[in-house]
Every structure is written in structure tokens, then in C-alpha cells.
Amino acid sequence: VTTGTASTMPTVFWSVDDWEDVRVATASSSTWTTGTQSPDLSRDPLWTVVRSCPKRDEITVLTLDSKKDVKVNIRANGAWGTWSVLCYDTASSSRRMLDVAYEQSSGDGLICYFTNSGNKVGYRTVTNGVVSSEAWLTPPSSDDIRWLSLVSKPESDEILLVCMNKDQELRTATWNGAGF
């Protein structure tokens, strides 16, 4: 569930096994719209992560599918973009190794995901609905990341990245609005 900006109605996103899309329903007064679907993903999404921009009508939707692909779609002003593959090589499709958060001051987004190639965290920014090219953050340990989460600091452009590795050790890195 995401609430977005003051002009965006609360929106629920979900995926169902054997459906190759993400469904969306929006609240309007006291009712919910019928679930509409995103463009076709071509594979079943197993994890769906959604965050809203605090500055404009923009929602970033990430999925991790059954083939370990991370895909992104930006829904701006109520219209879907196209799905793009960010990563073909996560270590697993059963663990949540992806997240997105928005900087609270600028409204820019940060997408992070684990890439099994080189045991790194891939990251990209989202600026006005445009996703940047991939950059990498190398964790201090070569262990596989099993869980990844991003948390925005209120009234700033800082975002905290928290990763848990296979030994259940937590590692953090801070995004300052320009880099880790």
C-alpha cells in the first residue's frame, strides 16, 4: 500500500501466483476501484515493493520474479511506463533482496538490489521518473545478502541501506543524496 503525495489517492499493489502482472486498486472517497493490471511482466512476480514520491504523483514499483530478475516500472500521473530489467542475477527469488526509497527533500528515488555477480549491491537513482544506469556498492563481507531494506530520513535526502547476510549479520550504508 502506498499513499503518495497529497494529490495521490491511496493505492494498493499486489501480484498473484501465475499472473504475469501487478494489479492496482485506488481508493476514492469511501470506495476502491476494481483492480487494474500493469503491463505484462512475462514472468510471475514473487516479491513486489512499492514506494511513492513525496513531491509528485510518481510511484516506483519493483518486482523480483521466479527467474531471479529484478524489474522496475514507474507509474507517473496515473499512467504506467514500461517494465525494465535492472538485474538478471540475484542469488534467490525466495528472499527480498530489493527495495526502493525516496529522498524526502528532493523527491529523488534510490533503488537497491543484490546482484549475485560479484556479491554486490546494485543501485540506481530515479529522477523525475527516469532510472539511471547501474552503479555498485561492495559490502564489507563477501557473504550473500539475504534481505535488503531502505529507510528514508525525514526532511533530508539521506537514506539508510540495511542488509542482512547469510550469517544474519546486519550491515549498513548511508546514502547522502549523491552517493554512499
Side-chain angles (χ1 to χ4, degrees):
V1 177
T2 187
T3 54
T5 64
S7 64
T8 305
M9 301 305 283
T11 306
V12 175
F13 293 80
W14 73 94
S15 52
V16 177
D17 192 25
D18 293 330
W19 290 6
E20 296 177 348
D21 61 16
V22 175
R23 300 288 168 144
V24 182
T26 304
S28 178
S29 301
S30 62
T31 62
W32 285 88
T33 62
T34 304
T36 59
Q37 67 188 51
S38 72
D40 188 10
L41 280 161
S42 77
R43 292 203 178 107
D44 294 340
L46 300 178
W47 288 96
T48 301
V49 179
V50 180
R51 300 288 184 267
S52 295
C53 177
K55 301 292 183 183
R56 61 191 166 276
D57 185 7
E58 176 182 297
I59 298 169
T60 298
V61 181
L62 289 178
T63 65
L64 176 59
D65 67 28
S66 56
K67 297 292 185 182
K68 304 178 192 172
D69 297 342
V70 176
K71 296 180 181 175
V72 64
N73 199 334
I74 310 294
R75 190 166 191 250
N77 300 315
W80 286 99
T82 57
W83 287 102
S84 299
V85 178
L86 301 181
C87 175
Y88 290 100
D89 190 25
T90 59
S92 170
S93 59
S94 64
R95 297 183 297 262
R96 199 190 93 179
M97 297 177 283
L98 72 162
D99 205 357
V100 59
Y102 276 93
E103 298 171 1
Q104 299 301 293
S105 291
S106 71
D108 291 340
L110 178 65
I111 297 169
C112 292
Y113 47 88
F114 180 71
T115 175
N116 201 33
S117 177
N119 287 349
K120 296 180 181 180
V121 174
Y123 67 92
R124 298 169 188 252
T125 57
V126 179
T127 305
N128 293 318
V130 178
V131 179
S132 73
S133 59
E134 185 176 52
W136 296 274
L137 173 67
T138 303
S141 163
S142 63
D143 292 338
D144 287 344
I145 289 176
R146 302 296 170 102
W147 187 266
L148 185 146
S149 185
L150 294 170
V151 181
S152 299
K153 182 177 180 180
E155 300 178 22
S156 82
D157 285 341
E158 286 186 14
I159 298 174
L160 182 66
L161 166 66
V162 180
C163 299
M164 183 182 73
N165 68 15
K166 70 179 185 177
D167 296 322
Q168 298 180 348
E169 298 169 328
L170 296 177
R171 305 283 190 218
T172 65
T174 302
W175 175 262
N176 65 12
F180 282 102

